[in-house]
Amino acid sequence: MGLSNPIMDAGLNHINLEEIKQEKGDGNWSHPLVNLDHVRSTVIHQNPGTENDNHVHDYDEWWVVLQGEIHWVIEGREEKVIAKPGDFVFVPALTYHHIFPVGDGPSVRLGVSLPGKGHLHERPERKAQVQIS
């Protein structure tokens, strides 16, 4: 399977993580799976020692760790979250968080959120407005 159509939709109902990893390689990358007006999901592959910047969103965001170990520093928590394969991590809208892949090999996580503005470095005044008709 080539990734010429990387977004799942009515015509692409199935995609395989191992095939995505094989095509994308060993570096740091992200791969959109679903990108609709009401939901977005992305596979994120990061090597240990790399990190996401400390940021916030105007929407809720959650992940499932598929491979490796990832630490989250989440605003309002005294201790970091240590997540391993099979763990789910949730960060509410308007909450700063910082993501650190650790260990000997790459980490892979599936992120699910609303589509939106991405990483923000100043806290928005309010959460994103969701209207489903």
Side-chain angles (χ1 to χ4, degrees):
M1 172 202 79
L3 297 179
S4 60
N5 180 1
I7 307 288
M8 295 181 70
D9 59 24
L12 178 64
N13 301 110
H14 174 263
I15 196 166
N16 181 276
L17 177 59
E18 291 306 316
E19 291 175 4
I20 295 169
K21 287 167 51 178
Q22 184 175 22
E23 187 160 320
K24 293 285 194 175
D26 294 330
N28 296 326
W29 50 262
S30 62
H31 179 82
L33 290 180
V34 174
N35 195 8
L36 302 171
D37 58 355
H38 64 285
V39 66
R40 176 180 64 192
S41 67
T42 304
V43 174
I44 303 153
H45 183 280
Q46 280 186 282
N47 290 312
T50 61
E51 60 187 66
N52 291 66
D53 57 349
N54 190 33
H55 64 278
V56 65
H57 300 280
D58 63 352
Y59 48 81
D60 299 327
E61 187 173 25
W62 64 274
W63 304 264
V64 59
V65 177
L66 303 171
Q67 177 182 325
E69 183 175 320
I70 306 171
H71 296 179
W72 270 265
V73 174
I74 301 172
E75 178 183 23
R77 288 187 56 98
E78 290 187 27
E79 295 184 21
K80 66 185 168 195
V81 172
I82 298 172
K84 297 181 180 179
D87 288 343
F88 295 84
V89 177
F90 175 78
V91 174
L94 309 181
T95 304
Y96 277 95
H97 53 286
H98 206 161
I99 302 169
F100 300 88
V102 298
D104 296 330
S107 66
V108 178
R109 65 188 183 273
L110 174 66
V112 181
S113 67
L114 290 172
K117 301 171 186 165
H119 292 196
L120 302 173
H121 298 101
E122 292 185 25
R123 193 182 322 270
E125 291 184 24
R126 62 181 174 84
K127 293 164 73 169
Q129 297 296 310
V130 179
Q131 182 176 358
I132 299 175
S133 45

